[in-house]
Amino acid sequence: MRKSIVMKVLGAVMAMSLVFSAVVIADETEAGAEVSYEADVNGDGKIVVGYISKNFTDPFHAPINARAEEYFDQAVEDGIIDEWTGLLDGETDPNKQIDRAADCIAKECDIVIFLPAEAEASDPALVQMADAGILVIEVNSKSASCDEKSIAYVGSDDVQAGNMLAQWVVDNCPDGGKFIHCNGVLGNSAQIQRTEGMHEIMDEHPEFEMVGDFDTKWDGNLAADAASDAISKYGDELVAIICDNDGMSSAAQKMCNDSGREDIICIGVDGVEVPMQMVKDGSLKATILQDGVGQINGAIEIVEALVNGESFDPAPVIPFVLITADNVDDYM
Amino acid sequence: MSEQTRDYILECKGISKAFGGTQALKDVQLHVRPGEVHALLGENGAGKSTLMKIVIGLYHQDSGTMVFDGKPYQARGPVDAINSGISMIHQELNPEPHLTIAESIFLKREDHTGIFLNKRKQNERTQKILDDFGFPYPADTLIRNLKLADVQMVEIIRAVSTNAKMIIMDEPTSSLDEQETQHLFRVIRDLKAKGVAIIYISHRMAEIYEICDSVSVFRDGEFIGTSALKDVTNDDLIAMMVGRRVKNQFPKVECPIGDVVFKAEHLSGDGFEDISFEVHAGEILGFSGLVGSGRSETMRAIFGMDPIKSGTMYLNGQVFNRKNPGDSIRQGVCMVNEDRKGFGLCLHRSIRENTSLPSLPERQKGLLINQAREKKEVEEVSKTLLLKAASIEHTAYSLSGGNQQKVVIAKWVMAAPKLLIMDEPTRGVDVGAKAEIYSLMSRFAAEGMAIIMVSSELPEIMGMSDRVLVYHEGRISGEYSRKDIVSGEVTQEVILSSAFGVA
Amino acid sequence: MASSPRTGKVTTQDRIRSLLGQYGIGIVLVIMMIVIAIMEPRFMTPGNIINVATQISINGLLCYGLCLCITTGGIDLTVGAQLALTSCIIGQTMTNMGWPAFLSILAGVGVATVFGFIDGVLIAKFNMFPFVVTLSMQLVIRGLSQVITGGRAVMLTNDWFTGIYSNKFLGIPMPIIIFIVVTIIMYLMLHWTKFGRYIFAVGGNVNAAIAAGVSRFWVIVGVYTISGVLAGLASMIYTSKTGSAQSNIGIGYETDAIAAAVLGGTSFAGGIATIPGCVLGIFIIGLIYNGMNMIGVSSYYQSIVKGLIIIGAVMLDMVMNRNKH
């Protein structure tokens, strides 16, 4: 009984976000043409670039931050830009990100690269900077008014990633069966959209039954516990564990393997070090790489175009990549 | 007395109260007249405090009725009681150290101008009250800057300032010296003249005879009787309280005095200066003097709780050094602190754990405590000290004041000290338990322990000490031997004179 | 007093009442088990019981450390960050520097121990508030773990190390064995050694403890150091379990550990705690997670359910204890 109410709520949320993303997509196709801006927005003769990270602690963001730091340090040295803020720590906290945005305004930045932590809550950071005239490039995920306020969005489509998660399970368990889903922190846009994408496919496959939908908070430990709980409850009926990120899927897979259940298909999104390594050594069959470095490179290209006065694509999509034993070496 | 014919201000009839399985009060009564000082007597745990807590509404009686000022009365809590005209000064002072005197006196009934406190007006009103009492501090003095005796006075002033028709005083003189006590008595006589009734709880018989008009005696939760004080003798009252006659209030046993155990030479520290004395095995050395004259400060410093600025100490002929109480205990110097709840007990731990705490290192078997042995030894020492407790596993919190004090003494007895310092060993302890503690002291002395007793009660100092040292303003101002006290050459007056520095 | 002071006899009724008062929370645990078992019959299978026992080991170790700190009147908010730091040190030394597993664990747990010791010294020597000290040290410790790994995750492939979580000894998973051994040690330490008594004394009345010759300094330093050791051991299990060392783990883990300690009767006023009580609290927290997963409570409601169960359990415990004013 309770389950069905929850499913309805979930359905409503999904429907709403579907409509929303449809609008967004329509918008993008219309505005598909290239755009250009004056880079020195405040006219002080200096180009100052800001960088507001999502956080410093998540393994997915570590290489993104590292790439940004490497590039902009070099860019200042080479005279491409005059100054940059260094990596500002968003601490996965919208409140902190809004504070960092105020710092960027105070520092008279012309261009800011911004990786929002939350779709709604982090949005004031974007609005504040855009209203101050700063050219904001959002990377990795969108905040609510991204389309109106930012000059560009470089990212991947998390709904697509969700589709890929489900498709992998469908392809590898031809007979169907029971599976569980481990959520990220509820309300994170990546959690919402990946979950949505997963359901898009899974709802069309009645041979699969979702028997658990866990609040595992991006936490590998909690996902491993959810896996062992599900194994002890469903035994052989459990065929797959779909996770919103691969920190969780790798921990879940390890739990399955340790319990002698290598047959359970665990899959998640991101392509951080540990799951990649596990794919390489064969203990995890696949993971889905979100090309974070590709995203930040996309943003860097836009910065370069701005500085050179060239036009650019305001919405490049960086595709997700399915990583298996066949191609893992290309991405490590 | 002329009031004899007048009606009672407070009548309690058939009051009973049980806590769990313990019957704290059994069908007791109390009749208090307006304008009289009515003493409540009884050993700790006799039910006096429980009855008073029912009167001020902290507890609810299981049965029984009360009439106050001619009307049926039942307080829902202390504030309700104050509004009805009953104030209580508790034995355990509960001062808020961060308040000023004025704030403390007007707590919960502050002067307001609109929603804001009117501090100026409040201070002026307080100052007037303080001046009336001859209390020598400004109204905005912080409570934490007052001496304990002055805090007590503030409590009394607060109770008086509520225009109470009846004031309950629970051991009001326990932290007052002689002079302050006399001042309090003047205040009580003034109140009496104004028709205020006072219920006076105390264990000091001399005080009761001095200030009270009538007395009600309780024992084991039962009402024993009420009589006018002029009609009963001290021995009668004690017999009523303990249910038997206490033959000798000060069971001092003469025993041979041995070698010097502890010697202090020219000790100086915070509150005392140039103190030299020695105490022998088997000797009880009494320290008398006014509260705040530096006796307790000296003892705290010897025990290692406070620093010593200069001077040397010797224990059994060897130089005695200590950085902290732990060092002292290891070398055989122990101290019963005057503040039982502050420094004596962990109230929410069991009697067993409290008793064995300082001597745990000796009760180990390998890494672990030998709990069987610990239990046996604590039970033995509890038995020796006639501790009244259902089980040594009960918390110290569940005991009466006298029994708590016995736990404190028990823990130092377990540590088998060479020198035992006892600071106010019978404060807040009832008559029966007092006599028991005195005979324990005699016994320890007979076993060769050296004992230092600090006390504000002259009778016990004179009754128990082999030698008496008197303090005046941080220095020793007199020394008297037992021989001279017994012969009557040294009287209370002589000792008091040296305490006041006039000898 | 629960029995007559005159006769001095303790009746059976008194014994039951005091037992209920002490471990009344056990009833909550039993009720929870029955409710879950009715809603999901597979809950009571031996497999799932072992499963729960394995899962609680991490929170269990953290809970003991917090129990000790809370009993002295303090708190240790560093445990979550300690999990991350030890994990990063183990990962960095074992995978990237090729140290033997044993040495890596020693280094990781050792560093956690040192940080616990530093917390204790700051609190005891300089009289700083435990809340402030551990709140700040938590930032230092997490920062350090980020510096060590640069925010990246490190994979643990050493079979011996990952076996710490998955191996069995006499059919019992290793985490359960570690948890039982630590529980026995903690029980003996708190209830059978003088150090345990000193912890109660310092927490119950620090002045009386000092006047009884107890060294406040060593007691405080001792409990925070032990909390560090336990956090280090918990991190070893965690890292072995997920096979991954990273700096963003353990955020908010102090919450569950504090909740377990409080459910187990640890008093924030200090001076009161029991290890058997903590064990019950740890199991209740573990059952909340496992039970909700087993019953299939939606992820959106799990957090609410958890909070309500904790409040309800503590309230029930207070009601049952009310007679012992």
Side-chain angles (χ1 to χ4, degrees):
Chain A
M1 207 66 104
R2 193 197 267 154
K3 235 178 213 171
S4 70
I5 296 171
V6 173
M7 291 308 286
K8 270 180 200 154
V9 172
L10 213 68
V13 170
M14 280 175 0
M16 267 159 57
S17 44
L18 258 174
V19 170
F20 181 70
S21 53
V23 170
V24 168
I25 291 163
D27 219 31
E28 271 168 7
T29 40
E30 262 175 33
E34 301 232 318
V35 293
S36 63
Y37 297 87
E38 172 63 46
D40 183 11
V41 291
N42 49 22
D44 60 358
K46 285 204 298 187
I47 306 280
V48 182
V49 175
Y51 179 91
I52 303 173
S53 73
K54 185 169 173 186
N55 63 51
F56 286 179
T57 53
D58 184 338
F60 173 75
H61 286 272
I64 301 180
N65 294 337
R67 167 66 185 141
E69 185 166 35
E70 174 201 36
Y71 173 79
F72 286 113
D73 279 347
Q74 191 62 42
V76 171
E77 210 167 287
D78 296 347
I80 300 172
I81 57 171
D82 296 288
E83 217 179 302
W84 81 295
T85 56
L87 300 173
L88 300 178
D89 190 353
E91 301 177 41
T92 331
D93 180 346
N95 173 43
K96 300 280 165 55
Q97 290 196 314
I98 293 166
D99 291 349
R100 298 295 88 83
D103 296 345
C104 286
I105 295 169
K107 212 171 149 50
E108 299 185 342
C109 289
D110 301 288
I111 304 164
V112 171
I113 294 175
F114 176 37
L115 290 80
E118 307 280 348
E120 292 293 341
S122 296
D123 200 49
L126 167 64
V127 173
Q128 200 181 345
M129 289 191 287
D131 291 351
I134 295 175
L135 305 175
V136 183
I137 303 165
E138 286 202 338
V139 174
N140 183 243
S141 63
K142 281 186 176 184
S143 68
S145 53
C146 178
D147 298 321
E148 301 95 70
K149 296 287 186 180
S150 72
I151 60 155
Y153 169 66
V154 187
S156 309
D157 181 4
D158 275 313
V159 179
Q160 181 208 351
N163 291 340
M164 291 170 74
L165 287 173
Q167 198 58 51
W168 174 258
V169 172
V170 170
D171 293 346
N172 284 277
C173 306
D175 300 331
K178 293 185 162 67
F179 72 97
I180 62 168
H181 174 226
C182 293
N183 284 283
V185 170
L186 298 174
N188 277 186
S189 61
Q191 177 267 329
I192 293 171
Q193 290 170 21
R194 287 171 194 178
T195 303
E196 173 195 328
M198 183 271 293
H199 278 293
E200 277 179 7
I201 304 293
M202 278 310 195
D203 291 354
E204 288 169 13
H205 288 271
E207 72 273 25
F208 286 97
E209 183 194 353
M210 188 168 88
V211 292
D213 191 16
F214 299 129
D215 180 15
T216 39
K217 303 184 176 77
W218 304 125
D219 184 334
N221 176 38
L222 294 178
D225 286 348
S228 67
D229 288 346
I231 291 171
S232 88
K233 182 170 175 184
Y234 299 106
D236 288 343
E237 295 168 68
L238 185 74
V239 296
I241 298 172
I242 299 181
C243 302
D244 284 350
N245 78 359
D246 59 4
M248 296 194 290
S249 65
S250 56
Q253 186 76 64
K254 182 171 178 300
M255 175 61 68
C256 296
N257 296 353
D258 290 343
S259 320
R261 292 295 309 275
E262 288 87 351
D263 58 301
I264 296 175
I265 305 285
C266 299
I267 184 139
V269 188
D270 275 349
V272 299
E273 292 90 340
V274 171
M276 293 289 272
Q277 189 65 45
M278 283 175 73
V279 171
K280 189 178 162 74
D281 65 25
S283 53
L284 180 68
K285 291 199 183 61
T287 195
I288 290 165
L289 173 75
Q290 175 175 204
D291 192 357
V293 176
Q295 292 172 1
I296 194 66
N297 281 334
I300 288 170
E301 278 169 27
I302 292 174
V303 172
E304 284 176 337
L306 281 168
V307 173
N308 297 332
E310 295 160 2
S311 62
F312 57 89
D313 174 4
V317 175
I318 311 296
F320 284 92
V321 185
L322 179 68
I323 303 293
T324 61
D326 301 333
N327 63 352
V328 64
D329 287 330
D330 305 339
Y331 291 91
M332 283 190 75
Chain B
M1 250 174 242
S2 60
E3 291 93 342
Q4 294 284 345
T5 50
R6 284 177 58 180
D7 287 328
Y8 297 114
I9 180 124
L10 175 73
E11 277 181 89
C12 303
K13 283 184 206 145
I15 307 277
S16 293
K17 174 78 187 168
F19 295 110
T22 310
Q23 192 71 32
L25 288 176
K26 274 170 270 181
D27 191 26
V28 302
Q29 50 166 302
L30 183 66
H31 293 87
V32 182
R33 291 192 174 81
E36 75 164 350
V37 181
H38 193 113
L40 289 194
L41 260 182
E43 298 187 82
N44 287 327
K48 306 172 309 247
S49 298
T50 310
L51 182 60
M52 290 305 105
K53 282 175 181 168
I54 288 172
V55 170
I56 62 164
L58 276 174
Y59 295 156
H60 265 256
Q61 69 272 34
D62 299 333
S63 62
T65 55
M66 292 183 279
V67 175
F68 181 70
D69 206 14
K71 293 184 282 276
Y73 165 83
Q74 183 72 56
R76 286 186 301 276
V79 176
D80 202 21
I82 288 171
N83 291 337
S84 307
I86 301 179
S87 269
M88 177 156 178
I89 298 157
H90 292 270
Q91 177 187 6
E92 312 295 341
L93 294 179
N94 201 7
E96 305 279 347
H98 307 297
L99 300 182
T100 66
I101 294 177
E103 283 164 349
S104 177
I105 286 180
F106 284 96
L107 195 65
K108 300 225 170 73
R109 49 195 183 96
E110 290 83 358
D111 268 324
H112 283 92
T113 303
I115 59 163
F116 299 104
L117 285 178
N118 190 335
K119 283 209 170 168
R120 198 174 47 81
K121 193 173 149 210
Q122 188 168 291
N123 280 347
E124 281 168 6
R125 276 179 62 182
T126 310
Q127 196 60 56
K128 195 175 162 300
I129 301 170
L130 295 183
D131 293 345
D132 286 351
F133 271 87
F135 192 67
Y137 293 94
D140 56 358
T141 312
L142 286 177
I143 294 286
R144 68 156 169 256
N145 294 336
L146 296 178
K147 286 186 300 184
L148 196 58
D150 293 330
V151 176
Q152 175 92 46
M153 209 59 212
V154 170
E155 292 278 313
I156 291 166
I157 294 170
R158 165 166 40 186
V160 172
S161 72
T162 59
N163 294 320
K165 298 195 185 86
M166 188 175 94
I167 298 175
I168 303 164
M169 298 185 176
D170 191 359
E171 302 223 28
T173 58
S174 62
S175 52
L176 302 189
D177 64 28
E178 190 57 32
Q179 204 180 358
E180 290 160 334
T181 303
Q182 285 308 325
H183 187 87
L184 173 69
F185 287 174
R186 277 198 298 281
V187 172
I188 290 178
R189 288 189 189 104
D190 283 352
L191 291 169
K192 220 174 111 171
K194 289 178 194 156
V196 177
I198 312 264
I199 293 181
Y200 192 94
I201 303 175
S202 176
H203 295 302
R204 297 184 182 172
M205 301 301 286
E207 284 179 3
I208 289 177
Y209 273 100
E210 184 173 352
I211 194 72
C212 299
D213 303 310
S214 50
V215 58
S216 291
V217 180
F218 292 82
R219 182 173 74 228
D220 295 341
E222 290 182 60
F223 173 76
I224 304 298
T226 298
S227 51
L229 266 163
K230 57 182 185 325
D231 302 334
V232 286
T233 66
N234 195 351
D235 285 352
D236 293 337
L237 287 178
I238 290 174
M240 281 165 88
M241 266 192 289
V242 299
R244 63 180 189 278
R245 296 212 166 246
V246 176
K247 283 197 206 77
N248 183 0
Q249 229 188 317
F250 299 110
K252 168 81 182 151
V253 179
E254 304 294 339
C255 63
I257 308 285
D259 295 337
V260 174
V261 171
F262 180 84
K263 187 172 170 189
E265 279 181 354
H266 311 295
L267 293 186
S268 295
D270 218 3
F272 57 94
E273 228 168 293
D274 196 24
I275 302 296
S276 300
F277 66 87
E278 53 184 46
V279 52
H280 301 251
E283 185 183 35
I284 299 177
L285 177 62
F287 278 76
S288 186
L290 304 179
V291 171
S293 60
R295 305 165 307 179
S296 300
E297 288 79 358
T298 313
M299 296 310 148
R300 285 174 59 94
I302 290 174
F303 186 49
M305 292 177 71
D306 293 326
I308 281 177
K309 284 188 199 128
S310 64
T312 324
M313 296 179 282
Y314 301 90
L315 185 69
N316 284 342
Q318 309 256 303
V319 174
F320 172 66
N321 282 318
R322 83 288 167 277
K323 286 203 296 286
N324 51 48
D327 286 349
S328 301
I329 295 165
R330 272 188 291 282
Q331 296 173 71
V333 174
C334 296
M335 174 167 167
V336 175
N337 197 286
E338 60 172 331
D339 184 352
R340 183 163 64 227
K341 290 192 177 150
F343 290 86
L345 294 169
C346 299
L347 285 177
H348 292 281
R349 302 305 306 179
S350 69
I351 296 166
R352 173 168 57 87
E353 288 185 22
N354 271 295
T355 306
S356 62
L357 186 64
S359 51
L360 278 178
E362 284 90 62
R363 260 149 274 275
Q364 299 230 104
K365 196 164 71 182
L367 280 172
L368 304 181
I369 298 166
N370 185 343
Q371 295 216 25
R373 188 178 145 203
E374 180 202 12
K375 206 173 159 186
K376 198 170 128 251
E377 289 181 355
V378 171
E379 261 163 6
E380 273 166 16
V381 71
S382 302
K383 210 175 282 171
T384 316
L385 269 62
L386 304 172
L387 183 77
K388 279 183 209 138
S391 151
I392 58 167
E393 299 306 326
H394 281 191
T395 59
Y397 181 81
S398 69
L399 297 176
S400 65
N403 282 311
Q404 287 182 348
Q405 185 70 0
K406 284 183 187 170
V407 173
V408 175
I409 294 173
K411 78 174 179 183
W412 296 120
V413 173
M414 287 255 298
K418 299 186 181 87
L419 169 67
L420 180 60
I421 303 168
M422 303 175 98
D423 194 355
E424 304 284 2
T426 63
R427 171 178 288 176
V429 171
D430 58 63
V431 178
K434 265 185 186 174
E436 284 162 17
I437 290 173
Y438 296 141
S439 58
L440 286 169
M441 288 168 68
S442 287
R443 207 173 113 187
F444 301 152
E447 284 163 7
M449 202 186 283
I451 296 178
I452 291 177
M453 174 173 68
V454 177
S455 174
S456 301
E457 288 189 52
L458 274 177
E460 78 179 14
I461 282 281
M462 297 175 73
M464 292 304 298
S465 308
D466 291 293
R467 234 168 359 115
V468 177
L469 294 178
V470 186
Y471 263 63
H472 173 67
E473 292 185 347
R475 291 170 182 274
I476 292 176
S477 62
E479 176 171 353
Y480 306 97
S481 72
R482 177 159 190 83
K483 186 166 62 77
D484 295 339
I485 294 171
V486 172
S487 72
E489 199 174 305
V490 174
T491 59
Q492 291 210 10
E493 285 69 30
V494 173
I495 293 177
L496 264 180
S497 308
S498 7
F500 280 102
V502 290
Chain C
M1 266 183 276
S3 62
S4 158
R6 292 293 146 203
T7 59
K9 263 188 197 151
V10 182
T11 63
T12 319
Q13 211 182 347
D14 289 333
R15 277 210 200 87
I16 292 171
R17 193 180 296 157
S18 102
L19 207 67
L20 275 187
Q22 221 170 351
Y23 302 120
I25 205 76
I27 293 175
V28 176
L29 183 66
V30 172
I31 293 171
M32 277 181 69
M33 291 177 76
I34 293 171
V35 170
I36 300 170
I38 290 171
M39 293 178 76
E40 173 52 68
R42 276 169 287 197
F43 168 75
M44 283 306 274
T45 55
N48 189 53
I49 300 295
I50 287 182
N51 175 26
V52 175
T54 318
Q55 291 178 3
I56 59 168
S57 53
I58 294 170
N59 186 42
L61 299 191
L62 298 181
C63 170
Y64 292 146
L66 270 150
C67 169
L68 297 188
C69 296
I70 293 171
T71 304
T72 61
I75 187 90
D76 184 358
L77 300 175
T78 63
V79 293
Q82 292 265 43
L83 276 184
L85 179 59
T86 302
S87 173
C88 289
I89 290 172
I90 290 176
Q92 201 66 17
T93 54
M94 203 185 307
T95 303
N96 294 351
M97 293 160 71
W99 289 20
F102 180 73
L103 219 57
S104 287
I105 294 170
L106 212 64
V109 177
V111 170
T113 310
V114 169
F115 272 104
F117 179 82
I118 294 171
D119 287 339
V121 170
L122 288 173
I123 292 162
K125 183 86 191 170
F126 302 103
N127 262 323
M128 293 168 78
F129 282 112
F131 191 94
V132 177
V133 169
T134 57
L135 191 71
S136 325
M137 284 303 283
Q138 171 248 133
L139 298 173
V140 173
I141 293 168
R142 191 167 293 281
L144 213 65
S145 56
Q146 286 164 10
V147 169
I148 288 173
T149 55
R152 284 165 208 269
V154 181
M155 185 172 180
L156 281 305
T157 47
N158 182 310
D159 283 342
W160 185 85
F161 182 75
T162 54
I164 291 175
Y165 191 80
S166 52
N167 282 354
K168 291 188 167 72
F169 179 76
L170 301 173
I172 305 167
M174 285 303 287
I176 299 185
I177 306 233
I178 296 172
F179 180 64
I180 291 174
V181 169
V182 170
T183 301
I184 292 171
I185 292 173
M186 295 304 290
Y187 175 77
L188 290 176
M189 195 200 76
L190 193 59
H191 299 292
W192 284 81
T193 69
K194 64 175 183 181
F195 181 66
R197 292 289 178 79
Y198 291 174
I199 292 174
F200 288 132
V202 167
N205 181 345
V206 66
N207 287 327
I210 293 169
V214 176
S215 162
R216 174 179 174 270
F217 177 83
W218 285 113
V219 169
I220 301 271
V221 168
V223 297
Y224 285 90
T225 307
I226 291 171
S227 181
V229 175
L230 293 174
L233 289 175
S235 176
M236 170 188 83
I237 299 176
Y238 188 118
T239 311
S240 158
K241 180 178 180 180
T242 59
S244 166
Q246 50 195 78
S247 62
N248 63 343
I249 62 167
I251 295 169
Y253 273 54
E254 57 279 0
T255 321
D256 279 350
I258 292 169
V262 171
L263 282 172
T266 308
S267 164
F268 260 95
I272 302 175
T274 66
I275 292 300
C278 281
V279 173
L280 294 175
I282 294 161
F283 267 93
I284 287 179
I285 295 289
L287 275 193
I288 293 177
Y289 280 101
N290 176 263
M292 287 194 301
N293 286 354
M294 292 299 277
I295 298 169
V297 176
S298 154
S299 45
Y300 288 85
Y301 292 101
Q302 289 200 359
S303 184
I304 299 175
V305 173
K306 189 167 121 193
L308 292 180
I309 289 180
I310 294 171
I311 289 179
V314 172
M315 263 170 65
L316 194 68
D317 192 38
M318 283 174 67
V319 169
M320 285 193 291
N321 270 324
R322 204 168 41 184
N323 283 339
K324 310 197 311 171
H325 60 272

